[in-house]
Every structure is written in C-alpha cells, then in structure tokens.
Amino acid sequence: MPTYLEENQNRFIHELMDWLRIPSVSADPKFHGDVLQAADFLKQRLEEIGVENVELCQTAGNPIVYGEKLTDPALPTVLVYGHYDVQPADPYELWDSPPFEPVIKDEKIYARGACDDKGQVYMHVKAFEVMQQQGGVPCNVKFMIEGEEEIGSNNLAIFVKNNKEKLKADVILISDTGILANDLPSIEVGLRGLSYHEVEVTGPNRDLHSGLYGGAVANPINVLCKMIASLHDENNHITIPGFYDNVATLSAEERADLNRVPHSDEEFKQSIGLPATYGETGYTTVERTGIRPTLDVNGIWGGYIGEGAKTVIPSKAFAKISMRLVPHQTSDEITALFQEHFTRIAPEGVTVQVRPHHGGEPVVTPTDSVAYQAAAQAMETTFGKRPVPTRGGGSIPIVAMFKSELGIDSVLFGFGLDSDAIHSPNEHYGVFNFLKGIETIPLFFENYAALEKAK
C-alpha cells in the first residue's frame, strides 16, 4: 500500500515549482514585491496543513514567516529555520532555461532557489503535512523562515533578540546544507564564517584619454589589480598582518579524521572543468574547503566594457571581496584587519574606500548531542548508511547567532549536493533529494522525541 508521501509526491513537486516561479531576490529592490509574494505563498501553505498562529512578522526589511504547532509542553520543541529569498539569477544568458520558469530535466528541478533554499524549506513543510496525516507531529514545532539570508540576515538578528520567549526551543533544525552524495549521506558539523567588503579605488576626477595621460597618472584598475594580487603570497597564504593569529589549529589526528571523508581530487576537478586543484600550500582539498580561511574576489569592474574600443583611463575601479573564516576568527576582527591593510597598501595617486557589507561567525556543532544522534539515525534508516560528519566550507551566520542569543545548538540537516550549482546559473535540486528529505525529516522528529524521553 503506497504511503502518503508516495501518493502525494507529484503534488508536492508541483507546489514547490509554483513557489520557485516567484523571483524572491532580496538583493535587488525591483523584486521587493515578489519577495513579499513568496512570503505570503509560504504563509498560506503552512496554514493549509494545520500549522497554527501563522503570521508575517514585519521587520525593517522583509517579513519573517512564523508558525507553530504546540501540542504538549512535555514534548521537546524543534525550531525549523530556513529562508525564502534567493540569489540574483544573473547572468541570465548562461541559463539553459529561464531561472524562474522551473523545469524538470534528468530528474532534477532547475530554477533559482531550487536547492538554496526553497526546495529544502519546502521539504519541512511537506514533512509536517506527512506527519499530520500519519498520526501527528511527535514534537512541538515552530517555523521561522526569513527573507534576507542572502543579504546578511541583519533583521533576523533583531527579531531573535526581541522574541526569545516566542522562539524558545530545544534544538534548531536547518536544511540549507548538503550531503556528500546520494549514496553517501552526511551531516555538516562545522561552517566557516564570513567577512564581505566592497572596495573602491579612485584616481583622476574624470575618465581620461589614455594617450594624453597614459603613463603619467595612476590607473585605478591597474592599481586595484596589483593590490588584490598582493593579498596572497606564492604559497596562496593570505598576507594581511594578523589574519591567521586566531585560527584554530587542528591536530594531526583531527586532520587525518577529516580526510577520511570520501573524496577524489580527479572527480572534483572533472566536476568543475579544471585541470588542477589550487589553494594554500600544505593542505588537502578537503582541508582547504573546510578548516582553512580564504580570501576571494567575487566581482571586479571599472572603465569601458561596451562593444568596441574606448581608450580611457577610468576614474574609478571597484571590487567585491569576501573572506571565509574558521574558528576562532571573528568577523569584526577580520573586517578591521582587512580595512586597515587594504587602505595602507594603496599607492600615492589614488584614494581607497572599503565598505563592509555583512559578516558572520564560524561555528562547530556537537556530534554527541541527542539531536545529532536523532538526525544520524533518521538518515541511516532512509539511506541505509550511517551519515558521515563533515565540515562545510560555506557560511550560515545565523547558526552562531542562534547559539549566542537563544543558547540553542543547530542540526544542519541538508540534502543538497555540491553539483547543484547554487548561486550559479542552472541551479537545480534532485527530485530524489527533495523526496528523500520529506521521507527523512519525520524520522528525525520521531527519534528526537524518543531519545529525549529516554534521557
């Protein structure tokens, strides 16, 4: 006899695709109405499946969708966090199909937000529906789904500080991460922090003729490129003084454990079309992407970029630069170090402005908690294998904030894959992964209630 999930899986997929059609891009003000529409869509879906006290909690920015189902104060409470905003879809021309017209190809749902994070949020919505239809939710549950994760979650932090009683829970469940492979489940137990900046280099007071002025004035683009190049040495070690002072050093045994995670450099290179790996000397690819800090240019522009030629020395050049941080670095510390260093290395003939955007703290979550064991057992049941604990290279700044403000640890219960192209053209999410999440999440609730009761 088919299960409720099997009977309704096509409907679940089509509902998700309806949500993906709403271009809820939080970074671009022209999509503000769509962001609000996406929040309202989620509110309606939660109400339809029996979540109570569903509301759009207003902030200085985009609303937070909140709802709850509190059945018994004796039961543990799970706070489900996610986000309904998505990254910009640019460049549109690199998409094989329009980013906000979802399609299914090769058993994958292609659309902006398919994996990050609408698809993974919607797993929790449908898992709740499954539990309701199959005897009820074995824990109290609260939903808190925000609309500003992709732009730093600034208003979420304010909301959390002002609503600690409302958000009181025993654990936070987050699906905004991934697994190693569909036949190799994993749970992320560490995330890197973030320090993000935009820099502006200004030279002459206007664009100049490169023949009349070339060689006699500093070209802001040339200068910016030299400054950026100086931020790494020949070993790809970051050259900012003090940058590594507080970096947590792992023991040889800890590094060996980390490198037991199944990984092939050949498959890694092939998956992204590169002839060789690249990074800090003395570390493996797994270590470079999990336990070491980084500095990357995320965008650079200036001067004439139209068709044909225009011989100018531009007045300004710009770049966006981000740094991924590891325990025990802090975003405030690294932001200050970067600002001071980048301003100091500017040569005469230009002025430099450094504008911080947003940051977040690195975090490591426990593997010996009841919640982690509940998640591991759930994955072992549905995947047939015990999940591997991994360190993730990405950042979810609110995880550290939840711990500091609410005193709650999080379980990073994601089902995406590295190949899902999040933040890139042709983002997608496997139908298998979406449905496997809906199958697995109810088992987490069941296991968590049982383990807490047995304590």
Side-chain angles (χ1 to χ4, degrees), residues 21 30 33 54 62 68 83 95 125 127 138 140-141 180 194 206 250 265 269 287 299 303 322 330 343 347 419 429 452:
R21 290 187 179 94
K30 74 180 181 183
V54 184
N62 299 327
E68 60 189 22
H83 63 94
W95 286 77
V125 177
N140 300 311
V141 61
L180 290 170
L194 182 68
R206 64 186 187 280
L250 272 66
D265 265 1
K269 291 184 292 186
E287 291 170 334
S322 66
T330 69
T343 303
S419 57
Y429 192 37
E452 281 288 339

Side-chain angles (χ1 to χ4, degrees), residues 174-196:
I174 301 174
S175 295
D176 197 9
T177 54
I179 54 176
L180 290 170
N182 284 347
D183 60 354
L184 185 59
S186 58
I187 300 175
E188 288 192 3
V189 298
L191 293 166
R192 291 191 288 194
L194 182 68
S195 176
Y196 197 106

Side-chain angles (χ1 to χ4, degrees), residues 131-453:
M131 288 186 283
Q132 283 285 83
Q133 295 296 322
Q134 296 182 167
V137 185
C139 302
N140 300 311
V141 61
K142 299 177 180 180
F143 290 90
M144 179 176 63
I145 314 300
E146 67 155 321
E148 297 182 338
E149 194 274 345
E150 300 292 5
I151 54 173
S153 300
N154 289 337
N155 288 301
L156 179 73
I158 297 170
F159 178 79
V160 168
K161 290 178 182 179
N162 293 336
N163 291 275
K164 292 184 178 181
E165 187 63 30
K166 185 189 194 80
L167 301 175
K168 190 175 181 181
D170 297 287
V171 68
I172 300 172
L173 196 59
I174 301 174
S175 295
D176 197 9
T177 54
I179 54 176
L180 290 170
N182 284 347
D183 60 354
L184 185 59
S186 58
I187 300 175
E188 288 192 3
V189 298
L191 293 166
R192 291 191 288 194
L194 182 68
S195 176
Y196 197 106
H197 304 260
E198 182 174 319
V199 300
E200 175 183 333
V201 177
T202 301
N205 59 10
R206 64 186 187 280
D207 289 357
L208 301 177
H209 189 292
S210 65
L212 296 177
Y213 293 92
V217 299
N219 182 316
I221 295 179
N222 294 354
V223 169
L224 176 59
C225 290
K226 288 181 180 180
M227 293 172 69
I228 289 172
S230 76
L231 296 175
H232 293 89
D233 65 16
E234 67 277 7
N235 294 314
N236 291 312
H237 197 81
I238 297 164
T239 58
I240 299 171
F243 186 85
Y244 293 96
D245 284 358
N246 295 320
V247 170
T249 302
L250 272 66
S251 68
E253 183 180 358
E254 289 173 317
R255 291 179 65 179
D257 285 342
L258 184 68
N259 282 288
R260 288 192 182 99
V261 172
H263 171 83
S264 165
D265 265 1
E266 287 304 314
E267 291 179 3
F268 177 81
K269 291 184 292 186
Q270 184 178 8
S271 70
I272 50 179
L274 290 177
T277 59
Y278 184 86
E280 188 179 1
T281 301
Y283 295 91
T284 66
T285 300
V286 170
E287 291 170 334
R288 289 168 180 167
T289 58
I291 64 168
R292 296 300 293 169
T294 65
L295 185 152
D296 285 293
V297 179
N298 305 121
I300 185 168
W301 68 100
Y304 180 70
I305 57 173
E307 294 293 331
K310 183 180 181 183
T311 52
V312 295
I313 295 172
S315 172
K316 294 178 179 292
F318 303 84
K320 294 182 185 289
I321 298 173
S322 66
M323 286 153 283
R324 300 286 177 172
L325 315 179
V326 299
H328 300 286
Q329 293 176 306
T330 69
S331 59
D332 285 346
E333 163 211 356
I334 297 303
T335 292
L337 288 175
F338 177 81
Q339 286 181 296
E340 191 279 329
H341 178 71
F342 204 76
T343 303
R344 182 175 54 80
I345 64 174
E348 293 184 3
V350 298
T351 58
V352 171
Q353 280 190 303
V354 179
R355 290 186 284 271
H357 274 243
H358 57 273
E361 309 314 314
V363 66
V364 176
T365 60
T367 59
D368 58 356
S369 67
V370 168
Y372 179 87
Q373 296 304 318
Q377 290 175 16
M379 278 190 162
E380 187 171 10
T381 299
T382 57
F383 284 89
K385 292 182 181 179
R386 187 77 173 176
V388 177
T390 60
R391 293 283 192 99
S395 303
I396 309 179
I398 47 82
V399 175
M401 185 270 289
F402 287 152
K403 179 66 174 178
S404 64
E405 293 296 333
L406 300 176
I408 311 173
D409 284 317
S410 299
V411 174
L412 303 172
F413 208 40
F415 292 80
L417 298 172
D418 285 349
S419 57
D420 287 339
I422 65 172
H423 292 209
S424 300
N426 300 311
E427 178 182 351
H428 54 274
Y429 192 37
V431 172
F432 169 88
N433 305 76
F434 176 64
L435 297 177
K436 185 62 72 174
I438 300 172
E439 178 188 1
T440 307
I441 290 166
L443 294 177
F444 166 82
F445 279 84
E446 181 181 318
N447 295 341
Y448 187 54
L451 290 170
E452 281 288 339
K453 186 176 181 180

